[in-house]
Amino acid sequence: MRPVRPCVRRRPARGGRRGQTPTVAVSGKGSGRVSVAGLVCVRPGQRGRLIYRTRTHRGRKGERRSFAETDYAALLDAAHQQLGGPVVVIWDNLNTHVSAAMRELVAARDWLHVIRLPAYAPDLNPAEHVWSHVKRGLGNLIVHGVDELVAVVKNRLRRIQYRPELIDAFLAHTGLELDPAPP
């Protein structure tokens, strides 16, 4: 006896004819933007850490669309508090990182030492590998608003935080070494 299969009728997607890609009308404005800043923190002999902050831009007039120097300073202060010691930051040359206001904020923190990466070296920045990993999982994601996107991004970053071996792999992929060679 042959198995009985249910009858399945194939129908075109709602709103489009068979053989034509359906289109959905949307407004051109968009619903907002999410910015993420993070630090890959490593201490010899301990597990790697990821410390991050998010900022949501909703398109309001006069609202800043990205992180300001004070936001980065607050992130560094949080890292200093969580790590409980001096912090060495290896930064790229983002305009906010090299501004005069940021130089003043860095100079006011005696526990902070900043090293700049070469002009264009994303392969030396472990945070770039974190962003690549997060973005790879967001490729075909459909969200219904910027708040849902923030929740998904925070969830993905939290999952990375609970995987210190992944954070160590991001650092290893840069080729940077933690232990300086003796003089």
Side-chain angles (χ1 to χ4, degrees):
M1 184 176 208
R2 292 171 52 186
V4 179
R5 292 189 205 163
C7 179
V8 177
R9 295 178 84 188
R10 305 254 182 226
R11 297 176 120 174
R14 190 177 233 180
R17 296 175 51 108
R18 185 177 300 219
Q20 294 179 351
T21 304
T23 58
V24 179
V26 296
S27 69
K29 185 172 186 232
S31 62
R33 174 183 184 155
V34 179
S35 297
V36 183
L39 299 171
V40 175
C41 305
V42 188
R43 189 181 260 178
Q46 293 186 3
R47 66 179 183 87
R49 290 186 185 183
L50 175 65
I51 301 172
Y52 67 91
R53 296 291 183 266
T54 60
R55 181 177 179 86
T56 306
H57 171 69
R58 300 190 186 281
R60 296 183 181 115
K61 196 170 191 169
E63 182 181 31
R64 187 174 173 97
R65 294 177 55 177
S66 61
F67 281 84
E69 289 86 352
T70 54
D71 297 322
Y72 285 111
L75 177 62
L76 293 170
D77 291 339
H80 175 63
Q81 187 175 15
Q82 285 185 28
L83 299 172
V87 176
V88 176
V89 176
I90 302 175
W91 254 344
D92 57 9
N93 290 312
L94 182 68
N95 59 358
T96 314
H97 296 168
V98 297
S99 70
M102 183 52 80
R103 284 195 300 270
E104 289 176 17
L105 290 167
V106 168
R109 290 158 174 79
D110 59 344
W111 47 264
L112 181 62
H113 181 71
V114 175
I115 299 172
R116 303 248 180 256
L117 286 173
Y120 184 75
D123 51 333
L124 296 177
N125 189 347
E128 294 294 335
H129 298 291
V130 172
W131 309 143
S132 174
H133 185 79
V134 170
K135 287 179 183 178
R136 194 175 317 123
L138 299 176
N140 290 325
L141 181 70
I142 297 174
V143 295
H144 299 288
V146 72
D147 294 327
E148 187 178 347
L149 179 61
V150 170
V152 170
V153 168
K154 284 183 176 182
N155 182 298
R156 304 276 166 91
L157 289 169
R158 203 171 302 118
R159 286 196 292 194
I160 292 173
Q161 283 180 322
Y162 289 116
R163 296 181 59 197
E165 71 281 355
L166 186 58
I167 296 170
D168 293 340
F170 293 144
L171 181 68
H173 194 1
T174 64
L176 299 174
E177 294 190 21
L178 291 178
D179 298 323

